[in-house]
Amino acid sequence: MSSPSSRPPRPPARMIVDDLEWSMPQRGTPCGVPRRLRVWMFPDGTRLAVITDRGTGAPAKTVAELAFVSLHRRWPDNPEKLRIIEHYPRQLQRREFFEEVTLDEAGIPVWHPMPTQQLIAWCGTGVLDDMPELPPDPEFSDVTAIPSHAHDLPDGPGIDDRTVICGYPSSSSDALVLLETFDGEPLGPLPHHIKDSPQGYGWGYIGTGPSDLARSILVAVLGRDARCTTCDGTGQTHDNADADHPGNVERPTPTRLARCPRCTNGIATSWVDRFRREYVARWPIDQPWRIAGGEIRAWLADLNSRPQL
């Protein structure tokens, strides 16, 4: 394709992917560079993929053809209906703008300016840079700067096998996820253990809302077993860098803490991404769903029984 399609996608569009940690292919390294990937789906089958470049790693333009190939492998059907947009958020002395990426006959990437108002007309204002700026995450900090999360985690064995987790979609408010008895009596909302999606849960796609839903479901089932064994769920470890230094024999226990490297906010669940892919992303986005604690425990037992390669 040597130029953007002259026939625009037909609204309305719905977002099917919102991945804050999409691993964009990177030259010269086996790992990817995390970027934000959002994909809108149109009634005619067109997918509009928007890659947000936040200045990490190599510039997006230097690896555009790799990103192009990666996305086409993900959606091999109707390749002419996959449109790829690079999104450059506002920076100091630079306005926010978009460019569509295509490949010429020689497979060389070509960039075409994409009017911002056109994208807003297709996808709504959510296509703009709506991701809040995150504060730096220092390696070490004072005790007061790294709060303990142990009080936020369950202290028991988790929900029983007959307790059911139920999701109810809503077009006017956040999706509702409840714990219920097997007979349908409500027990209360599923506690939200926030990592990527403070705005709430989601399902039916790969993204931050489904990731937090998968994480919260596994914590509800595992109970205390979801706590990180390294920090016992506090999310904190002591910085003992000076403990063996000569002259520090009489030094008291260090008062500085480091973020625990093996967990997030005290939770260390090994199977969040897999549970999201195999369950949460497959639940219809606009329909209610139910899953019992016993089914999740059986799934976890099967995974944990397999040899680790």
Side-chain angles (χ1 to χ4, degrees):
M1 182 166 64
S2 58
S3 62
S5 170
S6 58
R7 187 174 183 179
R10 179 170 57 86
R14 65 184 180 93
M15 184 184 291
I16 60 172
V17 173
D18 185 3
D19 191 346
L20 296 181
E21 298 181 355
W22 179 63
S23 185
M24 182 173 174
Q26 176 79 356
R27 285 195 189 281
T29 174
C31 343
V33 173
R35 287 200 169 69
R36 188 182 189 187
L37 172 68
R38 290 172 289 169
V39 182
W40 281 264
M41 184 81 168
F42 293 82
D44 67 352
T46 297
R47 294 182 180 93
L48 193 70
V50 178
I51 303 170
T52 300
D53 185 341
R54 295 199 160 265
T56 58
K61 286 192 173 185
T62 66
V63 291
E65 67 271 29
L66 298 180
F68 198 93
V69 170
S70 175
L71 289 173
H72 275 274
R73 283 178 177 169
R74 183 167 180 175
W75 291 291
D77 58 311
N78 297 323
E80 71 282 356
K81 288 191 173 182
L82 175 60
R83 302 182 66 169
I84 299 174
I85 310 293
E86 287 184 1
H87 171 215
Y88 303 89
R90 183 191 299 273
Q91 293 183 358
L92 187 64
Q93 299 182 345
R94 189 187 81 178
R95 63 178 177 81
E96 183 174 15
F97 68 99
F98 299 84
E99 293 180 320
E100 180 165 9
V101 186
T102 62
L103 298 182
D104 64 16
E105 294 179 356
I108 305 299
V110 181
W111 284 264
H112 313 270
M114 173 64 70
T116 299
Q117 291 304 316
Q118 179 65 77
L119 282 171
I120 292 175
W122 289 346
C123 305
T125 55
V127 76
L128 299 176
D129 185 24
D130 59 348
M131 185 172 154
E133 212 172 295
L134 299 177
D137 186 8
E139 182 178 0
F140 300 113
S141 179
D142 294 331
V143 172
T144 55
I146 304 180
S148 170
H149 297 272
H151 61 282
D152 296 327
L153 301 184
D155 208 22
I159 64 174
D160 62 47
D161 288 353
R162 288 177 60 83
T163 297
V164 180
I165 304 171
C166 306
Y168 301 95
S170 172
S171 59
S172 58
S173 62
D174 291 338
L176 182 63
V177 181
L178 298 177
L179 298 174
E180 298 181 1
T181 67
F182 198 76
D183 297 325
E185 293 294 324
L187 300 173
L190 174 73
H192 185 182
H193 294 276
I194 299 173
K195 181 176 182 288
D196 300 313
S197 181
Q199 68 272 21
Y201 295 133
W203 58 82
Y205 60 96
I206 297 293
T208 56
S211 180
D212 267 20
L213 178 56
R215 171 182 167 89
S216 298
I217 288 175
L218 291 180
V219 172
V221 171
L222 291 169
R224 186 174 176 83
D225 287 345
R227 289 176 179 248
C228 175
T229 56
T230 299
C231 65
D232 195 31
T234 65
Q236 308 167 334
T237 56
H238 284 292
D239 171 15
N240 293 310
D242 296 330
D244 297 328
H245 191 278
N248 285 345
V249 177
E250 304 297 328
R251 175 175 288 230
T253 302
T255 59
R256 295 174 68 83
L257 296 176
R259 295 184 188 277
C260 179
R262 300 185 181 276
C263 70
T264 301
N265 296 344
I267 296 174
T269 52
S270 303
W271 304 111
V272 169
D273 287 341
R274 187 155 182 174
F275 186 75
R276 178 179 65 166
R277 291 195 310 270
E278 296 188 10
Y279 282 89
V280 179
R282 297 182 180 183
W283 292 329
I285 195 169
D286 56 351
Q287 297 180 24
W289 49 267
R290 292 165 56 89
I291 187 168
E295 179 180 349
I296 301 168
R297 280 200 176 86
W299 178 81
L300 287 169
D302 179 60
L303 290 177
N304 290 324
S305 68
R306 300 176 188 176
Q308 300 298 312
L309 302 178

